Structures are given as structure tokens and as C-alpha cells.
Amino acid sequence: DKNKKMIIVPQFLHARPFVKDFAEIRIDSVTEGIIDNKGKIVTAFGRDTTVWVSKNGIIYVEFYNKDIIIKLREMNGEWVTSQKYIIDERFSEGFYIAKKGKLFGLIDKNEKVILPFKFKDISPPDEKGFVRFVKKNVKIIFVDSSTKRALLTIPKKYKVDHFHNDLASVSLAKKKSSLSGFINRTGKIEIPLIYKKTSIFINGLCEVSNNIKTGFINTKGDTVISFKYGSPINLQNGYINYRQPLKSTLYDLSDKEIIINKFYDINYID
């Protein structure tokens, strides 16, 4: 813990950071599993299996060469198993985004189809209850998760991602090399389509790039950190981790260098 008291003794070949009281671990060369914040193994599986924890703390187990496709553990400890469909993500309590072939729909925990498999993509409700549906003809609709009322329909010429901080990345659908910008929840273009690549807004900042360099903009489209970084780059907990071959440099959000080219890599900034 923060006082350097050993909470979970070294016993695993590999471990990842905790997400909502759960962490992914590798027990031996063939066994992956999940532990809770006391170090107790919640679940473990051997060959032909992948185990991971979602950002919401839900445990997923994917099987290969078996009848069970996906096994999912809810936060209350209940296991949900699918033998017909691939469970892609939890939609809401008791309902799941599932995949059949190349199309998505909604099922309940008993594998009953709630919404037919006719969408190219479905996203779970965001912080404002917007659900993103992408139809086969690339028509994107945002729906209120409570009232089921259509809130926003995107013209076919645009390709739109999920909303974060009330902004969603937008680009022209039919152009492979089209530039990107951002729309607000009314569909109005808030930040012009002038960037080669965009990310999502985290704490009011978004990583964007022109043809050569990467910088950061705020929700008004103002450049907060100039375009001077190459790739890859990582914004995490108020710091910029700029990785270059054989070295990493850590900056704060005022562009001040905190750790300069001292380490091969820096991870999990807290």
C-alpha cells in the first residue's frame, strides 16, 4: 500500500493494475486468472482461454475450441454464460451487447434476443444516457437509454465516435484520409475537421495530430500544448508520457519536463 506495507505477496508470473478491486494475473506459463484486492483468486483458467477485467470491473472469460463462447462475471458475483453469441460488452443491468457473425444486437442473461442482430456497432449508454447505434448503411443514431427516443441522427456523410466530455470525434465517412474534428450533443460541429488524427477528451484535454506531430487541445479547440511530440504519446493522470526509442520523457500539463530521458519506459502513472 502507500505506506509500503506488503498487501499481496509476490507469487505471480505477471500482474496488471487493479480495476474496480480486480486485477489480471498470470499464475504459471499456461494459467491466467483474476484476483480481488485481498489477493484471493476469483477465477483462473488454463490453455485456450483469455481472461480480462473491463473498466467497469466486469470479468470476461473467452474460451477457444469449446461450446461456451464467453463467460462474464457481474460485479455482484453472478456468472453469465453465452453459448450462442459472443458477449461484447455489458449494456445495462441484465442486458448485454452481443455479436452474431458481423452484426450486433442485445440479449439478456438467458440469451433471449432483446434487440435483433442488425447493427454494425452498439455502444453502452454514456454518462448522459446516449446510446450509439450504427446501422449497416453507416447511418448513426444516438438514442436515450431510458425513453428509447432518438436524440440525434447523424447524416450519412459523417462517421462519428462515442461522446466523451459532451464531444464526439467526427470525420467524413467515405474518405479514407479525411480529417477529423468534434461535434456536440446537438450535432453541431464544435471543433472544425482539421486534424489528421483525434483521440478522446480526458479531463478536458484531447490528443490530436497534424501530418507530423502531436499536441493537445481543450474542449474549445484551443491548442493547450503545442504540436511538438512524435508518437507514441500517453496522457495519464495529468502527465504526458512521451515515448521515444530507448527512452521516455515525462511532462506535466504546462510542458515542464518532470523526468528527462532517464528510463527506457514509464508506466502506470499515479
Side-chain angles (χ1 to χ4, degrees):
D1 63 12
K2 63 183 179 181
N3 298 315
K4 300 183 181 179
K5 178 183 177 183
M6 183 65 69
I7 303 299
I8 301 172
V9 298
Q11 57 190 291
F12 308 114
L13 289 185
H14 182 68
R16 292 188 61 80
F18 276 90
V19 179
K20 301 284 186 180
D21 296 331
F22 295 108
E24 302 166 25
I25 50 108
R26 178 171 287 279
I27 299 171
D28 54 40
S29 60
V30 297
T31 309
E32 295 181 350
I34 304 292
I35 58 171
D36 62 19
N37 57 9
K38 306 294 183 184
K40 180 182 177 181
I41 295 176
V42 175
T43 187
F45 294 91
R47 294 184 186 277
D48 300 324
T49 309
T50 301
V51 184
W52 73 95
V53 183
S54 76
K55 62 183 180 181
N56 298 318
I58 297 170
I59 298 170
Y60 289 82
V61 183
E62 185 170 1
F63 298 87
Y64 306 99
N65 304 320
K66 293 187 179 181
D67 292 334
I68 298 173
I69 298 176
I70 290 281
K71 194 172 183 179
L72 177 149
R73 185 183 189 273
E74 284 279 18
M75 288 176 283
N76 62 5
E78 180 183 6
W79 284 96
V80 178
T81 300
S82 172
Q83 294 178 300
K84 298 179 182 177
Y85 314 109
I86 296 174
I87 299 177
D88 184 67
E89 199 169 353
R90 183 183 187 269
F91 182 80
S92 61
E93 186 174 354
F95 298 98
Y96 306 91
I97 300 169
K99 191 175 183 181
K100 181 181 180 182
K102 294 183 179 181
L103 297 178
F104 292 86
L106 293 180
I107 63 172
D108 66 12
K109 63 182 180 181
N110 297 314
E111 295 190 283
K112 179 182 177 181
V113 176
I114 307 301
L115 191 66
F117 293 88
K118 62 179 184 179
F119 299 96
K120 289 186 70 175
D121 193 20
I122 302 176
S123 303
D126 63 24
E127 68 271 15
K128 296 285 181 70
F130 278 43
V131 179
R132 175 177 168 270
F133 292 96
V134 182
K135 291 190 173 182
K136 287 188 287 185
N137 58 359
V138 200
K139 184 179 181 182
I140 300 173
I141 302 172
F142 288 89
V143 176
D144 187 303
S145 59
S146 299
T147 66
K148 311 297 186 294
R149 181 173 60 90
L151 298 170
L152 178 62
T153 299
I154 306 298
K156 292 182 182 180
K157 67 178 182 178
Y158 291 119
K159 182 171 63 176
V160 176
D161 210 336
H162 323 287
F163 279 100
H164 295 272
N165 290 162
D166 292 331
L167 294 172
S169 177
V170 59
S171 61
L172 294 175
K174 292 186 178 181
K175 290 188 177 181
K176 292 183 179 180
S177 59
S178 67
L179 300 176
S180 297
F182 290 88
I183 62 168
N184 61 24
R185 290 187 184 272
T186 69
K188 178 184 175 183
I189 293 179
E190 198 76 27
I191 298 173
L193 282 66
I194 58 175
Y195 300 106
K196 188 74 175 177
K197 184 179 179 182
T198 58
S199 182
I200 62 173
F201 279 92
I202 300 175
N203 298 325
L205 291 180
C206 177
E207 178 187 339
V208 294
S209 64
N210 52 27
N211 286 324
I212 303 173
K213 297 291 184 179
T214 295
F216 288 87
I217 60 172
N218 60 21
T219 54
K220 295 180 180 179
D222 300 325
T223 300
V224 177
I225 296 174
S226 59
F227 291 81
K228 70 175 187 179
Y229 299 102
S231 183
I233 191 171
N234 184 26
L235 176 65
Q236 187 179 12
N237 292 333
Y239 293 93
I240 297 167
N241 186 10
Y242 177 35
R243 295 186 176 115
Q244 302 172 76
L246 303 181
K247 61 184 179 182
S248 284
T249 306
L250 195 67
Y251 297 84
D252 66 15
L253 295 184
S254 67
D255 256 2
K256 180 182 177 182
E257 294 174 327
I258 305 299
I259 301 174
I260 309 170
N261 302 340
K262 188 175 180 181
F263 300 103
Y264 174 77
D265 199 5
I266 302 171
N267 280 304
Y268 312 131
I269 303 159
D270 199 356

